[in-house]
Amino acid sequence: MQGGQMIVEENAQLSTVLTSSAKPSYIPSLTKIIATLGPKSRSVDTIEACLKAGMSGARFDFSWLDGDYHQETLENLRIAMKNAKKLCAIMLDTVGPELQVCNTTGNPIDLKADTHVTITSNISKEASAEVLPVDYAEFPKIVKKGDTVFLGQHLFTGHETSSVWLEVLEIKGENVICLVKNTASLSGSMITVCVSNVKINLATLTEKDKQIISTWGVKNNIDIISLSYTRHVEDVRELRAFLKMKNLSETQIYAKVETTEGLRHFDEILQEADGIIFGRGNLGIDLPPEKVFLFQKYAISKCNMVGKPVIVTRVVDSMTGNLRPTRAEATDVANAVLDGADGIMLGAETLRGLYPVDAVRTVGRICAEAEHVYNHTLHYKKIVKHVGEPMTHAESVASSAVRSAIKVKAATIVVFTSSGRAARLIAKYRPPVPIVAIVIPHLRANSLKWTFTGSSQARQLLGVRGIYPILASPDVAAPGSEESGLRPAIDHGRSAGFLKSNDRIVVFQKVGNSSVAKIVELQQFFI
């Protein structure tokens, strides 16, 4: 947590507010934006526009529709990536132990405040304003009189006309009689059910999740899995073992912490996961509203200290139906960046929102403004203090490289890497400039075929703040090829607008068993 220290630079004065925002560039912000693709954002043109606006990761939410639908969307994403000449990470979001109202007709359900509605575990009944069948036989056993139940599409956007708050009055066998606390219209076939602070006795990695991973996940060699409702470190280990069994051992796991149970085991989960998604939608129900920001600051700080990416969700819900976010939402995005978030995840805003491209662009601009006043020096000192002494050789050179970049006012840091670890190590120290990661493919053999690694490792880096990967040719790893390896980074920097003649760059790479950092000045002839 930041305590009483400044989380913004001291020179962030009124002139900063009155100065026009920076002109849009190829890199609108260092903070990454993960957008959920769906009905309003699955066409090639829209996806391409989202990529150009700043989307670095695409989330596929399997809590609705099937693999064929998502496969069509993914094929469109691949075409859009080629058109835009941009990489994009592919994230599969598991369903997990999510409870849903079985609204098979998809017809709207209008609930009126101060009326009664019955939630039943008898799924043969048709959903209506009087009866809501839920796909969990044990539901009447896990709730008690006085409990709070929330219902809504994509979990309670904050607009109480599309989600409803119920109070449990009585349990009668398979039926739970509830008092409707607010008037709302529930729409669509997917209406999520959440009971505050109640333990659901279902597996985190469900059989449905395993089937999706075994088919869609294997077919597409997915980069990242978002493990919904992660509650224990064993959840991550179980998924890791399952991925290895399916020959997806390189797929990264981002643990989605969205319940108080996951919060209690956060430190162990963080140690095992590759990254964290801070699911504020569900957690905002399990926790009192005044406590959510505390956990956000705690979780982000913990992730920052160990150098693992952390993604914050549910930031501009109002943009689902509006072109501009509220003032509070804009401030919320900026505060997430100032807290140290690596990325922002958009859900309903891009999945079914009216303005998916504008949502991506707007969030990117807010992030860029917050980064401009972020106290990088304070963050650097905190990481160095946390790591302590003696540092490992790689950690020492990485921290020195970032320090050198700040001292000489380098325009960028270029990292040569094959696994992505070196780039993540640099990003851990939060340099104020872009990190261009030159990902070098490696030849790998198994009993059936020879393959090059590198493409997935490059895309996975798109979940980490400040890193912009470029997939190099294999010959970059050959001796004496550093200059040719730097060429893609320089060309990328020029097109993005952050490199020009006579700029300085810091180069970080491994030479043998050693890590080396050096400063290179770009002369006119080299550009």
Side-chain angles (χ1 to χ4, degrees):
M1 303 221 2
Q2 300 288 357
Q5 293 178 298
M6 292 281 288
I7 60 173
V8 298
E9 295 284 4
E10 293 183 21
N11 61 356
Q13 299 175 355
L14 183 61
S15 58
T16 304
V17 179
L18 299 177
T19 302
S20 299
S21 300
K23 292 181 179 179
S25 69
Y26 189 74
I27 299 178
S29 70
L30 299 176
T31 306
K32 299 310 172 73
I33 301 173
I34 314 296
T36 306
L37 300 185
K40 297 295 185 181
S41 56
R42 68 191 301 257
S43 70
V44 173
D45 289 345
T46 302
I47 297 173
E48 185 177 342
C50 285
L51 288 168
K52 291 178 179 178
M55 180 180 79
S56 60
R59 172 177 172 253
F60 292 83
D61 183 2
F62 275 84
S63 62
W64 64 287
L65 293 178
D66 58 20
D68 291 339
Y69 181 90
H70 291 299
Q71 189 64 41
E72 290 177 6
T73 306
L74 178 55
E75 296 303 331
N76 288 345
L77 170 63
R78 287 170 172 155
I79 295 170
M81 283 193 284
K82 289 181 180 179
N83 292 346
K85 298 180 180 179
K86 288 194 67 176
L87 293 175
C88 183
I90 301 169
M91 177 183 286
L92 187 162
D93 197 298
T94 63
V95 178
E98 184 174 85
L99 308 185
Q100 292 187 1
V101 172
C102 300
N103 185 22
T104 54
T105 65
N107 294 330
I109 302 170
D110 296 321
L111 298 176
K112 303 296 182 183
D114 299 323
T115 62
H116 290 181
V117 65
T118 298
I119 299 177
T120 180
S121 56
N122 184 351
I123 59 174
S124 65
K125 294 187 177 181
E126 186 174 318
S128 67
E130 291 75 37
V131 179
L132 299 172
V134 174
D135 60 350
Y136 184 45
E138 302 295 310
F139 188 82
K141 297 179 182 179
I142 66 170
V143 297
K144 64 183 184 302
K145 183 178 179 180
D147 278 350
T148 300
V149 181
F150 294 91
L151 306 175
Q153 190 181 47
H154 295 282
L155 266 182
F156 332 113
T157 62
H159 301 288
E160 291 309 316
T161 56
S162 61
S163 58
V164 69
W165 169 25
L166 309 177
E167 180 185 340
V168 176
L169 298 178
E170 187 180 2
I171 296 99
K172 289 184 177 181
E174 64 184 18
N175 298 324
V176 178
I177 295 89
C178 301
L179 174 67
V180 180
K181 305 291 284 187
N182 65 283
T183 298
S185 180
L186 305 178
S187 61
S189 58
M190 187 185 80
I191 302 172
T192 307
V193 181
C194 185
V195 187
S196 180
N197 282 300
V198 168
K199 184 176 180 180
I200 306 297
N201 190 26
L202 291 172
T204 301
L205 185 67
T206 66
E207 290 304 314
K208 179 180 179 180
D209 293 327
K210 291 179 180 179
Q211 186 270 332
I212 291 167
I213 294 169
S214 300
T215 53
W216 195 87
V218 170
K219 176 181 179 179
N220 296 294
N221 193 29
I222 49 172
D223 305 315
I224 301 167
I225 287 185
S226 165
L227 183 58
S228 298
Y229 298 96
T230 304
R231 295 168 286 183
H232 304 273
V233 66
E234 288 78 14
D235 297 336
V236 182
R237 290 171 180 161
E238 180 189 1
L239 176 55
R240 186 88 65 192
F242 184 76
L243 290 175
K244 185 175 182 181
M245 185 172 66
K246 295 298 177 180
N247 199 29
L248 288 173
S249 56
E250 292 181 351
T251 298
Q252 291 190 336
I253 300 172
Y254 280 32
K256 199 172 185 182
V257 178
E258 47 191 332
T259 64
T260 51
E261 197 173 356
L263 187 156
R264 292 189 187 97
H265 302 99
F266 181 80
D267 289 353
E268 307 96 82
I269 292 170
L270 175 60
Q271 188 173 359
E272 187 69 25
D274 298 302
I276 295 291
I277 297 174
F278 178 41
R280 301 194 306 178
N282 286 317
L283 199 57
I285 293 167
D286 261 13
L287 285 176
E290 66 271 18
K291 297 290 187 181
V292 176
F293 86 95
L294 284 173
F295 181 61
Q296 174 170 314
K297 290 180 179 294
Y298 171 85
I300 292 176
S301 178
K302 282 280 188 177
C303 293
N304 288 169
M305 291 304 105
V306 298
K308 291 189 177 182
V310 54
I311 311 295
V312 173
T313 70
R314 305 306 294 268
V315 288
V316 287
D317 288 343
S318 71
M319 289 196 74
T320 302
N322 297 298
L323 189 56
R324 287 167 60 90
T326 66
R327 293 176 292 277
E329 288 172 336
T331 303
D332 186 32
V333 174
N335 280 332
V337 174
L338 295 176
D339 284 343
D342 287 78
I344 301 294
M345 179 179 288
L346 300 176
E349 303 97 325
T350 52
L351 176 84
R352 59 185 175 87
L354 301 179
Y355 310 101
V357 179
D358 292 284
V360 173
R361 184 182 296 113
T362 299
V363 168
R365 286 174 176 170
I366 297 168
C367 291
E369 286 295 321
E371 291 158 7
H372 184 65
V373 297
Y374 184 83
N375 196 330
H376 294 90
T377 302
L378 174 61
H379 185 100
Y380 179 89
K381 290 178 179 177
K382 285 174 63 180
I383 297 293
V384 170
K385 182 179 179 180
H386 176 80
V387 172
E389 296 179 352
M391 286 183 171
T392 64
H393 177 76
E395 192 99 38
S396 175
V397 178
S399 61
S400 298
V402 173
R403 190 64 176 166
S404 297
I406 295 171
K407 288 287 188 182
V408 303
K409 299 187 183 302
T412 188
I413 299 174
V414 178
V415 183
F416 290 89
T417 182
S418 55
S419 66
R421 284 191 293 268
R424 291 188 188 92
L425 193 56
I426 291 287
K428 176 180 176 180
Y429 289 89
R430 284 291 194 271
V433 296
I435 304 162
V436 179
I438 306 296
V439 181
I440 305 168
H442 276 212
L443 190 62
R444 182 178 60 186
N446 58 29
S447 58
L448 298 176
K449 59 182 179 180
W450 294 79
T451 57
F452 275 108
T453 66
S455 58
S456 185
Q457 286 80 0
R459 291 191 299 269
Q460 287 168 349
L461 291 173
L462 288 166
V464 185
R465 182 191 183 276
I467 301 181
Y468 295 89
I470 297 173
L471 187 60
S473 61
D475 57 10
V476 169
S481 60
E482 179 188 316
E483 182 171 322
S484 63
L486 280 176
R487 174 63 64 182
I490 294 168
D491 292 342
H492 179 80
R494 290 183 65 196
S495 64
F498 62 82
L499 267 185
K500 57 185 184 300
S501 301
N502 299 318
D503 272 346
R504 291 169 176 168
I505 64 173
V506 172
V507 180
F508 179 85
Q509 65 183 134
K510 290 200 71 174
V511 178
N513 294 323
S514 300
S515 298
V516 177
K518 63 180 180 180
I519 300 166
V520 175
E521 189 162 328
L522 304 180
Q523 304 296 335
Q524 179 68 45
F525 75 88
F526 193 59
I527 296 287

